[in-house]
Amino acid sequence: QVVLVESGGGLVQAGGSLRLSCAASGNTFGMYAMGWFRQAPGKEREFVAAITWSDGFTAYEDSVKGRFAISGDNAKKTVYLQMNTLKFEDAAVYYCAASARSKYPRMPVEYDFWGQGTQVTVSS
């Protein structure tokens, strides 16, 4: 079992920055990748970014590309999501996820463990 705990969410003004953290604990051996998803009220959960532990490969959803950056600290088994130039449409609950089945997961079904989420609110 892997437990993921997100932190760093909060209120930020449009154009501002925020950094989310996700700490993994438990049986993290064999965890190929970690990623971030977000879900706004009335909308489906969508992929935001992911990072592969073995090679550092990163992937981003088009709308956040160039604004968000995912990174990881393997020693701490912690992944971060640096969010810059935040827009109102970025507001959502952000979920951390870990995959033990895919090195380059993009879909929710490819992830095995999920955090409880952290709220990101963007004010205009």
Side-chain angles (χ1 to χ4, degrees):
Q1 184 66 253
V2 174
V3 177
L4 306 175
V5 180
E6 304 101 331
S7 63
L11 174 65
V12 64
Q13 292 186 1
S17 299
L18 203 62
R19 189 174 82 154
L20 306 182
S21 299
C22 175
S25 62
N27 186 18
T28 59
F29 179 81
M31 183 176 63
Y32 291 126
M34 292 178 66
W36 291 94
F37 287 75
R38 65 187 181 188
Q39 187 166 24
K43 296 184 178 181
E44 295 183 351
R45 187 170 300 185
E46 67 173 352
F47 173 80
V48 177
I51 184 168
T52 303
W53 287 112
S54 61
D55 58 13
F57 174 84
T58 58
Y60 298 92
E61 192 272 324
D62 288 343
S63 69
V64 308
K65 195 172 299 181
R67 298 189 297 119
F68 291 10
I70 188 170
S71 61
D73 185 328
N74 189 61
K76 296 182 178 179
K77 286 296 185 289
T78 300
V79 67
Y80 306 93
L81 183 67
Q82 179 66 47
M83 304 184 293
N84 299 320
T85 319
L86 281 161
K87 303 175 180 179
F88 181 78
E89 52 263 42
D90 293 319
V93 175
Y94 282 70
Y95 296 92
C96 176
S99 178
R101 68 184 71 191
S102 178
K103 292 184 178 181
Y104 313 105
R106 278 282 266 102
M107 303 297 292
V109 71
E110 297 178 275
Y111 289 84
D112 301 282
F113 308 99
W114 295 83
Q116 294 300 307
T118 185
Q119 177 71 54
V120 172
T121 303
V122 182
S123 62
S124 60

